[in-house]
Amino acid sequence: MADPSHICLYLAVALVTLLVVLISKRRRSPEAAHGPGGALRLPPGPWQLPVIGSLHHLAGQLPHRAMRDLARRYGPVMMLRLGEVPTLVVSSRDAAREVMKTHDTAFSTRPLTATRRVLTNGGKDIALAPYGDYWRQVRRIAVTELLSARRVLSFRSIREEEVAATLRAVAKAASAGRAVEMRAALSALVSDSTARAVMGDRCKDRDVFLRAVDRAVELCCGFNLPDLWPSSSRLTGCLSGVVREAEECRDTVFGILDGIIQEHLQKTESGVGVAAEDLIDVLLRIRRVGSSSRSTWTPLKQSSFAGSETSSTTLGWAIAELIRNPKAMQKATSEVRRAFASYGAVSEVALGELHYLNLVIRETFRLHPPATLLLPRECREPCQVLGYDVPQGTQVFVNVWAIGRDERYWPDYSPEEFLPERFNDGEAAAAVDFRGANFELLPFGAGRRMCAGMAFGLANVELPLASLLFHFDWEVSGLADPTDLDMTETFGVTVRRKSNLLLRPILRMPVAKRRQMAADTSHGYFYVGFALLSLFVIQIARRRRSPASHGDGGGLRLPPGPWQLPVIGSLHHLVGKLPHRAMRDLARRYGPVMMLRLGEVPTLVISSRDAAREVMKTHDVAFATRPLSATMRVLSSGGRDIVFAPYGDYWRQVRKIAVVELLSARRVQSFRSIREEEVAALLRTVATMRAAITALVSDITARVVFGNRCDDRDEFLVQLDRTIELAAGFNPADLWPSSRIASRLSGFVRRAEECRNKVFEILDGIIQEHLEMTEKDGAAGEDLIDVLLRIQKEGGLQFPLTMGDIKAIIFDIFNAGSETSGTTLAWAMAELLRNPTAMKKATDERMRSPTSINYLRLVIRETLRLHPPLPLLLPRECRKACQVLGYDVPRGTQVLVNAWALGHDERYWPGGSPEEFRPERFDDGEPAASVDFRGADFEVLPFGSGRRMCPGMAFGLANVEFPLASLLFHFDWEVPSVGDPANLDMAEAFGITARRKANLDLRPHLNTSHGYVYVGLALLSLLVVLIARRRRSPAAHGDGGGLRMPPGPWQLPVIGSLHHLVGKLPHSAMRDLARRHGPVMTLRLGEVPTLVVSSRDAAREVMKTHDVAFATRPLSTTIHALSSDGRDLAFAPYGDYWRQVRKIAVTELLTVRRVHSFRPIREEEVAAMLRAVAAAAADDGRRTVEMRAAISALVSDITARAVFGNRCDKRDEFLVLVDRTVELAVGFNPADLWPSSRLAHRLTGFVRRAEECRSKVFEILDCIIREHLEMTDKDGAGGEDLIDVLLRIQKEGGLQFPLGMDDIKAIIFDIFSAGSETSGTTLAWAMAELLRNPTALEKATTEVRRAFAATGARTRSSTSVTCISIVIRETLQLHPPLPLLLPRECREACRVLGYDVPRGTQVLVNAWALGRDEHYWSGSSPEQFQPERFGDGEPAASVDFRGANFELLPFGSGRRMCPGMAFGLANVEFPLASLLFHFDWEVPSVTDPAKLDMTEAFGTTARRKANLDLCPTRATRVFGCIFGAGGDTRDQTPARRRTY
């Protein structure tokens, strides 16, 4: 009995422990961090208890089962608290996808609990290492060195030997009639296989090692005290003993490994060789060569633990499930024995052919994933899963056990039932695999932390399972009904069987004895095998690579095809027609997947959209290589080019060079001038069109590739023609590749060699010239040969580029770049000539709008449909056996995709004959409108699709669109020798490309009605826009990107949402769209993702809640030019420089004191304007005054004197430049809508005009600043204006960013533009609204005159007049100067009203819509001008425009609020009060003032579009106070006198 005193002591310790846990902080708890009042929407979960959290809900069940039951109540994303650890449990496919794919980076680390920290030596292993550089290093070692497919294959002999040893032991028990405890036997088998792979031999301390592994499995489960209460892990660890036990377990493993590593080091030092390199050798080698300085034990521990534990667990469950399901056992056994009966043993080489066995393993993984909750992940950064917020630090379990048994993902059959047939072909789950792409089956996980040893684990399951089924039948000892077999699981990080698996084996196939061959040569088997092999070789020699050799008896379901003849196969069916046409006709009889034998080459012909999709998408990897025929082997220098290089690392390298360096959009764009010059040359010398087009495209390509036209162009074109003929694939050498005589006698190979040699001779000379020019540094620009030579010189490639490789690549690009484009151009011209209606439409479009090529693009698309340059594409070859539309395709089969037949198939082209040339079929609203030729739609495939898609598509299109548009723009065309254009000969020539057979003799008629200056500008602008990348678009994330994007209207390619804005001003159109799509709306303006905010709450989130996130400005190309790269105040990017200039503005330039100091200037300028208006009013004819111009001049003069110290001598020019700035800065020009297009910037002219505008402004400012500097030197400055202030600040220094002269000019231009434009706009609108509303005008006039009647308008502040204040407020509500404010840009991803806003999104706040929203302006219509709404006692009385009320934002709010508000208001209030004080006003040409034109103009500011012609009448009773003796007569010089 225990001592009672000891019991009391233990009880006290236990109570103290519980007390400490109870009062410890609930660290990392989402509930503690974000209570009900927090901003997070946490996942639901069951109710919790103090201290233990949700643990009581798991009591009585294994965790994965209890969590499955809870998830059925609380949803697939559920929050638990396990002790004090916040835990997210994911139990659905979609949620798992978000965790392991969408937000994979956010969930890519592992939580290191106290126990796991000890077992992994601080997270230094592979599985539990924290995400970071160390983990990347060890995972790379694991993937590329330790567990690669090649390494796993090298351990095949080990697996076979260990399986043989197990089979012998089981056979011995079978002969003795004993039962075998299979769980232990399988564990020993897999651990010995793993030990030998890791250590080179079986582990001497295997039993100790296995016990340590067993205990590690239990300790890693994460449900022991130190792991559940990490804040008190030291105390709970000490008291529970778990941490100490983990240390002992680790020390045991390390002790064993230390001895083994020491033996390896001794062998290495002594020079004793080893038979093969095991994993310890690999790691020691890596450490020795210096690739890693880390310790080597942890990858070993990972291999020995994960490699043995998960495989043996799966093996045990697979055998148990087969025992419980006799039908499945019978099927699997029959398949294995049928496959290997002739061998007498299972061979790992043929395991892939065991279809049903693979289904058994897949079904076992579904029902019994080794790690039911996978290994836990941890949230590294806050994110969302299925709309729920997941706080940083949350532990994440993915319940793959629950997902594998969820009836939603496993229809037709019960998910609890073991049924391998559910994965069979034709079943709903047939395509579901366990390799991480299908999130309903995740035994190995997915994403970055997916198990790196999947191949290793599968190899340790497949061979043992197949061998045990092959050699033995199995019975359950002591169990009559196999379905009663105990399937209880045990608790641990892996879910093993709880009970032993005691089975009685019955030997069916003999097991070979140790070191004994299955057959003995003394019995004559050697000779029998030799004879049979000889006969077999003879039998298959005749029909090499023939699909017919597989026959029906071979188990293959081959595609149908026409009858064949000996030797020639199916060639006789192609006689008399071009191959693509003959194959189309055959396909109509035999189906869209058809097998031919061309000579001795088995060929699959694809003639339907679905079949093409399977070849180029579903099985793209299987068909990713090219067949190298004898001719193509010669022409491509053994497959060293791009097009015909066999699929592999070399092809990836050269394709990457092509895509990134040679044929990128940027590179293609850089060749614009070449295209323009060559097209111009063609236009000057139009002759026979086919030859002219060929010469044009070849010259463009030559200059692009070589840097100049090729001197041997004609010779080069001759060789190109020969190449097209030779590469067709229908010559004897290619049809009978096994026949040397065929290749010699036909002469095709010899001709191919001659062709290649001549081309390479020409290229040798060109390359030599480039090398000499490079040495002399005389290259004017980098052409494609220069690029390749540079890449060759830089090195660093896996396969260094030789001169032969460069020539092969260049020849490839030249052939493809010139031949296909020339062919398409010729067909397009021919089809347009045959179809006068289409020709007229295309020509009229060019005449009507030189920048529009919409219909022309339809013409090109229709041409590519009817006349794909390569009608059978380039052939592919099947790399591994697979199925297409249910038919088996043997390895080595050549595959031809009949793109010509697809384009002529009436099933895919409704609404008219597919043989008819009708570009309108691709127009908006037509069924084929969305069908494109870029590889996503498989009914039109001129450039192919998938991995082997043509990388030069952009280059080819550029060589078609611009020449075709130019030919149509400059000339009218006719066919001189044909009366009816419909009779034009359209016969095709034979070759790899389908050229026109006949010449295209046309008569051009020069169209002189249009200038040539705009041709290149118009066409190239839209061309570049068309091919510009839609970079960083939020729409790219789509629904599958994990973001909850704001809604928005439907978009079109290229232009995005711009069509929704047509016909209205942007702010008005956006208001209408927001009424349909909501106050937070996503548009794509060209390629610019734009968030439009149209509600008070959304505006508050943008400009207050997330003000820092939206504190910067997008620098569009135009603004970049106007603001001197963002060196001004308004558009400076958020940062230290902006803070500096804003501080200068707020504390020096635009302070209230500074604004007040300009009062005399305002008074003088207003007086000057009043005198001019009075002169007009005094005229007997009652002259009208154009008040918009008068107000603009007034405000600009006030601003000029405040800024410059005097009026600007070049005021009129300056105002013109300000007007241009307003137009240019609007943000709706091509340069700003498609910022990725450099040509759009240059060719549209907006950037150039912006630069010219800025240059002229800066010239004016230079003169003014120079005068100020001279006056400062002479000390003659009468007062300090804003330029003086900036020059003083510059001179004083002490700034973080010293002010340069350009900075000063940019700031001055900013202040002038904003200070004059916005104030003038507001003044004009105020006058117009008052005139439209006589009641308001009368009230304002009466109040102003009453306030200033005694003393005159200059002697009191106009702000004291309440009516003026509310009139201005109402004007700003209806007519904010910047209706969309200035755009902002999202600096970091955040949310607005629950919607995600990606970084880089442009944000427009529609202040105009806010000011007219009836939700915020109750009482009367917000569209009505009613200043009384701001009167005392009204609901809007407290609404002000200074940034605190987000329904009225004329000056913005937050950090980027306008700092010149006081300056602007001063320039509105006093002039408005003065005009009302001194004059009565009427509109002379409008009888009803309410009908005054209030149309807005388009621009950054919303000016009035029409002039404001008004007739002033002097109010004589108060006029004398300013124009009598007391008036200001100081400045009456002609230069200062205004006239209207």
Side-chain angles (χ1 to χ4, degrees):
M1 289 290 292
D3 189 337
S5 62
H6 291 171
I7 294 175
C8 293
L9 175 62
Y10 296 143
L11 183 60
V13 170
L15 290 173
V16 169
T17 303
L18 187 59
L19 177 63
V20 170
V21 171
L22 190 61
I23 65 174
S24 65
K25 292 181 294 177
R26 291 165 61 187
R27 289 174 23 183
R28 301 199 302 166
S29 170
E31 293 87 346
H34 305 279
L40 298 185
R41 181 177 177 243
L42 294 175
W47 58 278
Q48 302 177 4
L49 288 173
V51 184
I52 65 171
S54 311
L55 287 174
H56 58 292
H57 294 288
L58 309 184
Q61 287 184 290
L62 291 173
H64 56 276
R65 291 179 177 271
M67 290 175 183
R68 190 267 306 267
D69 296 341
L70 289 171
R72 286 175 172 173
R73 294 173 57 193
Y74 297 100
V77 181
M78 174 178 63
M79 186 67 83
L80 303 180
R81 187 162 55 81
L82 304 181
E84 63 182 27
V85 180
T87 302
L88 185 77
V89 181
V90 167
S91 306
S92 78
R93 176 179 61 190
D94 296 333
R97 181 182 290 109
E98 291 211 12
V99 168
M100 292 186 279
K101 184 178 180 183
T102 307
H103 303 301
D104 188 29
T105 305
F107 294 103
S108 57
T109 198
R110 302 283 193 201
L112 268 186
T113 64
T115 314
R116 293 182 188 130
R117 189 178 299 277
V118 170
L119 287 171
T120 62
N121 204 25
K124 296 298 185 183
D125 67 338
I126 302 171
L128 295 170
Y131 183 71
D133 291 337
Y134 173 74
W135 172 78
R136 292 188 189 93
Q137 173 181 294
V138 294
R139 181 169 177 93
R140 185 172 65 250
I141 293 172
V143 171
T144 60
E145 292 281 356
L146 302 178
L147 300 170
S148 65
R150 182 178 178 184
R151 182 76 61 190
V152 171
L153 183 63
S154 71
F155 298 142
R156 173 184 152 193
S157 59
I158 294 174
R159 287 189 293 274
E160 291 178 343
E161 291 173 14
E162 293 301 328
V163 168
T166 300
L167 294 176
R168 287 192 294 271
V170 174
K172 186 176 180 180
S175 62
R178 294 197 320 269
V180 179
E181 207 292 275
M182 287 304 296
R183 199 181 72 165
L186 294 172
S187 180
L189 163 65
V190 178
S191 64
D192 284 342
S193 295
T194 305
R196 290 184 62 188
V198 173
M199 307 164 190
D201 204 348
R202 286 197 183 99
C203 180
K204 298 174 183 177
D205 301 307
R206 184 187 72 181
D207 295 337
V208 178
F209 201 88
L210 288 180
R211 282 197 297 273
V213 168
D214 286 346
R215 189 58 185 141
V217 171
E218 297 170 4
L219 293 171
C220 275
C221 67
F223 286 88
N224 51 63
L225 295 180
D227 301 338
L228 295 173
W229 289 276
S231 65
S232 56
S233 59
R234 292 187 181 180
L235 181 59
T236 54
C238 292
L239 295 177
S240 65
V242 173
V243 176
R244 182 175 64 254
E245 206 171 345
E247 290 172 345
E248 292 172 357
C249 178
R250 180 199 61 195
D251 293 342
T252 300
V253 171
F254 274 30
I256 296 170
L257 290 176
D258 281 340
I260 296 168
I261 293 172
Q262 193 60 40
E263 291 176 3
H264 279 68
L265 289 171
Q266 290 173 358
K267 287 181 181 179
T268 303
E269 292 171 359
S270 62
V272 177
V274 291
E277 192 179 46
D278 55 48
L279 299 191
I280 289 182
D281 294 323
V282 174
L283 287 168
L284 292 176
R285 168 172 56 79
I286 292 172
R287 188 176 72 164
R288 189 166 57 250
V289 299
S291 298
S292 172
S293 59
R294 307 284 186 179
S295 61
T296 61
W297 82 269
T298 47
L300 294 177
K301 187 262 177 188
Q302 176 69 13
S303 298
S304 56
F305 165 48
S308 59
E309 173 60 24
T310 56
S311 298
S312 61
T313 299
T314 301
L315 262 174
W317 283 117
I319 292 177
E321 286 288 3
L322 287 171
I323 293 290
R324 290 182 72 241
N325 295 272
K327 290 184 179 179
M329 172 69 89
Q330 183 181 3
K331 282 187 178 181
T333 304
S334 299
E335 180 187 58
V336 174
R337 290 177 183 170
R338 185 170 59 248
F340 296 104
S342 60
Y343 298 96
V346 174
S347 170
E348 190 173 284
V349 176
L351 284 176
E353 299 175 6
L354 300 179
H355 176 67
Y356 192 78
L357 190 75
N358 288 327
L359 303 188
V360 167
I361 294 172
R362 217 191 303 186
E363 179 74 343
T364 303
F365 280 138
R366 181 185 71 82
L367 284 173
H368 307 282
T372 52
L373 298 173
L374 297 184
L375 289 176
R377 297 187 176 216
E378 184 175 274
C379 185
R380 300 168 56 234
E381 57 191 40
C383 61
Q384 285 198 331
V385 174
L386 294 190
Y388 293 107
D389 294 294
V390 182
Q392 183 177 347
T394 304
Q395 177 179 252
V396 181
F397 283 129
V398 179
N399 195 342
V400 294
W401 182 88
I403 296 173
R405 294 172 184 248
D406 194 323
E407 57 275 2
R408 293 175 298 173
Y409 312 132
W410 310 102
D412 301 334
Y413 310 101
S414 168
E416 300 288 341
E417 179 185 358
F418 181 82
L419 188 69
E421 289 80 1
R422 76 175 71 245
F423 293 102
N424 226 333
D425 293 339
E427 296 292 335
V432 178
D433 200 15
F434 52 71
R435 289 170 171 81
N438 302 102
F439 291 86
E440 55 266 57
L441 185 59
L442 294 169
F444 299 99
R448 286 171 171 77
R449 299 307 291 245
M450 185 176 177
C451 174
M454 180 171 62
F456 186 81
L458 285 175
N460 283 341
V461 172
E462 292 170 339
L463 180 63
L465 181 59
S467 298
L468 291 169
L469 298 181
F470 178 77
H471 289 284
F472 303 99
D473 288 340
W474 299 89
E475 294 179 354
V476 186
S477 181
L479 195 64
D481 186 358
T483 58
D484 294 334
L485 184 65
D486 184 9
M487 301 292 280
T488 309
E489 301 160 324
T490 190
F491 178 67
V493 70
T494 60
V495 179
R496 305 173 175 182
R497 282 177 48 80
K498 189 172 186 178
S499 60
N500 290 334
L501 187 58
L502 198 62
L503 303 180
R504 183 165 48 246
I506 302 169
L507 186 64
R508 294 301 184 195
M509 304 293 287
V511 177
K513 297 181 179 179
R514 183 188 300 270
R515 301 183 186 279
Q516 181 178 345
M517 298 292 292
D520 193 331
T521 57
S522 63
H523 294 158
Y525 295 151
F526 174 79
Y527 301 107
V528 174
F530 184 81
L532 290 173
L533 180 63
S534 301
L535 185 60
F536 180 69
V537 170
I538 292 171
Q539 186 72 21
I540 67 169
R542 298 173 189 170
R543 298 169 62 191
R544 279 179 61 190
R545 300 203 302 163
S546 171
S549 64
H550 298 285
D552 294 334
L556 297 183
R557 182 175 176 246
L558 293 174
W563 59 278
Q564 303 177 5
L565 288 175
V567 184
I568 65 172
S570 311
L571 288 174
H572 57 293
H573 294 289
L574 309 184
V575 174
K577 294 184 180 180
L578 292 173
H580 54 276
R581 292 180 176 270
M583 290 176 184
R584 190 268 305 270
D585 296 340
L586 289 171
R588 288 174 172 173
R589 296 173 56 194
Y590 296 99
V593 180
M594 176 178 62
M595 185 67 82
L596 304 179
R597 186 161 57 81
L598 305 181
E600 63 184 28
V601 180
T603 302
L604 186 76
V605 181
I606 298 298
S607 305
S608 79
R609 175 178 60 191
D610 297 333
R613 182 182 290 108
E614 290 210 16
V615 167
M616 291 186 280
K617 185 177 181 182
T618 307
H619 303 299
D620 188 29
V621 176
F623 296 99
T625 198
R626 302 281 192 205
L628 268 185
S629 65
T631 311
M632 288 315 308
R633 189 178 298 278
V634 171
L635 290 172
S636 65
S637 298
R640 303 299 289 179
D641 64 341
I642 303 171
V643 175
F644 284 95
Y647 182 72
D649 291 338
Y650 175 77
W651 171 79
R652 293 188 188 93
Q653 173 179 294
V654 293
R655 181 173 175 89
K656 181 179 179 182
I657 292 172
V659 171
V660 176
E661 291 281 354
L662 302 178
L663 299 170
S664 65
R666 182 178 178 183
R667 182 80 61 189
V668 171
Q669 185 178 313
S670 72
F671 301 140
R672 186 200 80 188
S673 59
I674 293 175
R675 288 189 292 271
E676 289 176 335
E677 292 172 11
E678 294 299 330
V679 169
L682 168 73
L683 296 176
R684 290 190 294 269
T685 58
V686 170
T688 300
M689 281 309 298
R690 199 182 77 168
I693 288 172
T694 301
L696 163 70
V697 179
S698 65
D699 283 345
I700 291 175
T701 308
R703 292 184 61 186
V704 164
V705 175
F706 309 146
N708 207 337
R709 286 196 183 100
C710 179
D711 294 336
D712 300 306
R713 183 187 73 178
D714 294 336
E715 175 65 15
F716 213 99
L717 291 180
V718 169
Q719 301 305 327
L720 176 61
D721 288 344
R722 288 184 181 173
T723 301
I724 299 303
E725 296 170 2
L726 292 169
F730 287 89
N731 61 66
D734 298 339
L735 295 173
W736 291 276
S738 65
S739 171
R740 295 185 181 179
I741 295 178
S743 63
R744 291 179 182 175
L745 296 180
S746 65
F748 277 89
V749 175
R750 183 178 65 255
R751 287 161 60 192
E753 290 173 345
E754 293 172 356
C755 177
R756 182 200 61 195
N757 292 339
K758 289 180 180 178
V759 167
F760 278 24
E761 285 177 9
I762 297 172
L763 292 177
D764 279 332
I766 295 170
I767 292 174
Q768 190 60 40
E769 291 176 3
H770 278 69
L771 290 172
E772 292 171 359
M773 290 174 69
T774 303
E775 291 173 357
K776 297 175 182 177
D777 197 26
E782 195 179 49
D783 54 47
L784 299 194
I785 288 184
D786 293 323
V787 174
L788 288 169
L789 292 175
R790 168 173 55 79
I791 293 171
Q792 181 192 49
K793 186 177 180 181
E794 290 170 354
L797 298 175
Q798 182 181 357
F799 302 93
L801 284 182
T802 65
M803 283 299 175
D805 297 339
I806 291 175
K807 288 183 282 189
I809 293 169
I810 289 299
F811 189 32
D812 231 359
I813 293 175
F814 197 97
N815 281 343
S818 58
E819 172 60 19
T820 56
S821 299
T823 299
T824 302
L825 255 176
W827 281 119
M829 285 294 294
E831 286 289 359
L832 286 171
L833 287 162
R834 288 183 73 238
N835 295 270
T837 304
M839 173 69 90
K840 187 175 187 303
K841 281 188 178 181
T843 306
D844 288 348
E845 180 188 63
R846 302 298 300 130
M847 296 299 106
R848 186 170 57 252
S849 176
T851 60
S852 174
I853 60 169
N854 294 327
Y855 190 79
L856 190 74
R857 288 188 354 238
L858 303 186
V859 167
I860 293 171
R861 214 189 308 184
E862 179 73 346
T863 303
L864 292 173
R865 178 187 72 84
L866 283 174
H867 305 283
L870 291 91
L872 296 175
L873 300 185
L874 290 173
R876 297 187 176 215
E877 185 176 274
C878 186
R879 300 169 56 235
K880 55 183 177 183
C882 62
Q883 285 196 331
V884 175
L885 294 189
Y887 294 107
D888 294 294
V889 182
R891 180 181 175 185
T893 303
Q894 177 180 253
V895 181
L896 299 175
V897 178
N898 196 339
W900 183 88
L902 292 173
H904 289 72
D905 195 328
E906 56 276 2
R907 293 174 298 174
Y908 311 136
W909 308 102
S913 170
E915 302 288 338
E916 177 188 356
F917 181 82
R918 193 169 69 88
E920 292 80 7
R921 75 176 72 245
F922 294 102
D923 219 340
D924 294 338
E926 295 290 329
S930 62
V931 177
D932 202 7
F933 51 71
R934 289 170 172 81
D937 299 292
F938 292 85
E939 51 266 65
V940 56
L941 292 169
F943 301 99
S945 183
R947 284 169 171 78
R948 299 307 291 243
M949 184 175 177
C950 173
M953 180 171 60
F955 183 77
L957 286 175
N959 287 344
V960 172
E961 289 178 344
F962 181 48
L964 181 59
S966 300
L967 291 169
L968 297 182
F969 182 79
H970 290 282
F971 300 98
D972 294 326
W973 298 89
E974 65 177 14
V975 188
S977 57
V978 178
D980 185 358
N983 295 329
L984 184 65
D985 184 7
M986 301 293 281
E988 302 159 304
F990 175 76
I992 194 170
T993 60
R995 301 175 172 182
R996 279 180 50 80
K997 190 172 184 178
N999 288 334
L1000 187 59
D1001 296 316
L1002 304 179
R1003 180 180 296 137
H1005 299 279
L1006 184 63
N1007 188 337
T1008 59
S1009 60
H1010 297 274
Y1012 299 118
V1013 178
Y1014 304 104
V1015 177
L1017 171 66
L1019 292 171
L1020 285 174
S1021 299
L1022 194 55
L1023 171 63
V1024 172
V1025 167
L1026 191 63
I1027 64 174
R1029 294 171 292 131
R1030 294 168 56 190
R1031 58 178 192 180
R1032 307 276 179 179
S1033 172
H1037 298 286
D1039 294 335
L1043 298 183
R1044 183 174 178 244
M1045 300 297 297
W1050 58 279
Q1051 301 178 4
L1052 287 175
V1054 184
I1055 65 171
S1057 312
L1058 288 174
H1059 57 294
H1060 294 288
L1061 309 184
V1062 173
K1064 293 185 181 181
L1065 293 172
H1067 54 273
S1068 179
M1070 290 175 185
R1071 190 266 306 270
D1072 296 341
L1073 288 171
R1075 287 175 173 172
R1076 295 171 55 195
H1077 300 284
V1080 180
M1081 174 178 63
T1082 290
L1083 303 179
R1084 186 162 59 80
L1085 304 180
E1087 65 184 27
V1088 180
T1090 302
L1091 185 79
V1092 180
V1093 167
S1094 306
S1095 78
R1096 176 177 60 191
D1097 296 333
R1100 181 182 291 108
E1101 290 209 16
V1102 168
M1103 292 187 279
K1104 184 177 181 182
T1105 308
H1106 302 299
D1107 188 29
V1108 176
F1110 295 101
T1112 199
R1113 301 282 191 205
L1115 268 185
S1116 67
T1117 311
T1118 312
I1119 295 298
H1120 209 279
L1122 290 171
S1123 65
S1124 297
D1125 303 334
R1127 301 298 290 179
D1128 65 341
L1129 175 59
F1131 287 96
Y1134 183 70
D1136 292 337
Y1137 175 77
W1138 170 79
R1139 292 188 188 93
Q1140 173 179 292
V1141 293
R1142 183 173 176 89
K1143 182 179 179 181
I1144 292 171
V1146 171
T1147 61
E1148 292 280 357
L1149 302 178
L1150 299 170
T1151 63
V1152 175
R1153 182 179 178 183
R1154 180 81 59 191
V1155 172
H1156 186 67
S1157 72
F1158 298 143
R1159 176 182 166 189
I1161 294 174
R1162 286 190 293 273
E1163 292 178 345
E1164 292 172 14
E1165 294 300 329
V1166 168
M1169 180 189 69
L1170 294 175
R1171 284 192 295 270
V1173 173
D1179 195 344
D1180 293 337
R1182 296 191 64 195
R1183 270 193 297 119
T1184 60
V1185 178
E1186 208 289 274
M1187 286 305 297
R1188 198 182 69 165
I1191 289 170
S1192 179
L1194 163 69
V1195 178
S1196 65
D1197 282 345
I1198 292 174
T1199 307
R1201 291 184 62 187
V1203 173
F1204 310 144
N1206 204 337
R1207 286 195 184 99
C1208 178
D1209 293 336
K1210 297 183 178 180
R1211 183 189 72 179
D1212 294 337
E1213 183 181 355
F1214 207 86
L1215 288 180
V1216 169
L1217 294 172
V1218 170
D1219 286 346
R1220 286 186 186 172
T1221 302
V1222 171
E1223 295 169 3
L1224 292 168
V1226 70
F1228 285 89
N1229 60 65
D1232 298 340
L1233 296 173
W1234 290 276
S1236 66
S1237 170
R1238 292 186 181 179
L1239 287 180
H1241 303 172
R1242 295 176 182 175
L1243 297 176
T1244 55
F1246 279 91
V1247 178
R1248 184 177 63 255
R1249 287 161 60 191
E1251 290 171 346
E1252 291 172 356
C1253 179
R1254 183 198 62 199
S1255 299
K1256 290 178 180 178
V1257 167
F1258 278 23
E1259 286 177 8
I1260 296 171
L1261 292 177
D1262 277 334
C1263 297
I1264 296 170
I1265 292 173
R1266 196 179 304 114
E1267 291 175 0
H1268 279 68
L1269 290 172
E1270 293 171 356
M1271 291 174 67
T1272 302
D1273 294 339
K1274 298 175 181 178
D1275 197 23
E1280 195 177 47
D1281 54 47
L1282 299 192
I1283 288 183
D1284 293 324
V1285 174
L1286 287 169
L1287 292 174
R1288 168 173 55 80
I1289 293 171
Q1290 181 193 48
K1291 187 175 181 180
E1292 290 171 352
L1295 299 176
Q1296 181 182 357
F1297 300 92
L1299 284 181
M1301 281 301 176
D1302 282 347
D1303 298 337
I1304 291 175
K1305 287 182 280 189
I1307 294 169
I1308 290 299
F1309 187 37
D1310 231 8
I1311 293 174
F1312 194 97
S1313 299
S1316 58
E1317 174 62 25
T1318 57
S1319 299
T1321 299
T1322 302
L1323 253 176
W1325 281 119
M1327 287 293 294
E1329 286 288 2
L1330 287 170
L1331 287 162
R1332 286 182 75 236
N1333 295 271
T1335 305
L1337 178 60
E1338 185 180 356
K1339 283 185 180 180
T1341 304
T1342 301
E1343 185 169 343
V1344 168
R1345 291 174 181 173
R1346 185 169 58 245
F1348 297 108
T1351 57
R1354 289 193 303 147
T1355 57
R1356 290 178 58 190
S1357 172
S1358 56
T1359 57
S1360 63
V1361 183
T1362 304
C1363 192
I1364 288 293
S1365 176
I1366 62 175
V1367 164
I1368 292 172
R1369 216 188 308 184
E1370 179 72 351
T1371 302
L1372 292 172
Q1373 175 225 333
L1374 284 175
H1375 305 283
L1378 290 91
L1380 297 174
L1381 302 185
L1382 289 177
R1384 296 187 176 217
E1385 183 174 274
C1386 186
R1387 300 168 57 236
E1388 57 192 41
C1390 62
R1391 307 186 92 210
V1392 174
L1393 293 190
Y1395 294 107
D1396 293 292
V1397 183
R1399 180 182 176 186
T1401 303
Q1402 176 179 254
V1403 181
L1404 299 176
V1405 178
N1406 196 339
W1408 182 88
L1410 291 173
R1412 294 170 183 251
D1413 194 323
E1414 57 274 3
H1415 294 98
Y1416 313 131
W1417 308 101
S1418 57
S1420 60
S1421 170
E1423 301 281 347
Q1424 181 181 352
F1425 183 81
Q1426 189 179 18
E1428 292 81 4
R1429 77 174 78 245
F1430 294 101
D1432 293 338
E1434 295 293 329
S1438 61
V1439 177
D1440 200 14
F1441 49 68
R1442 289 173 171 80
N1445 302 101
F1446 291 87
E1447 56 267 55
L1448 185 58
L1449 293 169
F1451 299 100
S1453 183
R1455 284 169 170 78
R1456 298 308 291 243
M1457 184 175 177
C1458 173
M1461 180 170 59
F1463 185 81
L1465 286 174
N1467 287 345
V1468 173
E1469 292 167 341
F1470 181 60
L1472 180 60
S1474 299
L1475 289 169
L1476 297 180
F1477 179 80
H1478 292 289
F1479 301 99
D1480 293 328
W1481 299 90
E1482 63 182 40
V1483 186
S1485 57
V1486 179
T1487 55
D1488 184 1
K1491 295 180 180 179
L1492 182 65
D1493 185 4
M1494 301 293 281
T1495 309
E1496 299 165 322
F1498 178 67
T1500 304
T1501 60
R1503 303 174 174 180
R1504 280 179 50 80
K1505 188 172 186 180
N1507 291 335
L1508 187 59
D1509 294 314
L1510 303 181
C1511 185
T1513 304
R1514 297 170 62 172
T1516 54
R1517 60 189 177 90
V1518 292
F1519 207 73
C1521 64
I1522 189 168
F1523 293 110
D1528 184 3
T1529 58
R1530 290 174 296 171
D1531 191 2
Q1532 298 289 328
T1533 62
R1536 294 292 308 274
R1537 194 176 293 126
R1538 287 191 181 90
T1539 57
Y1540 300 118

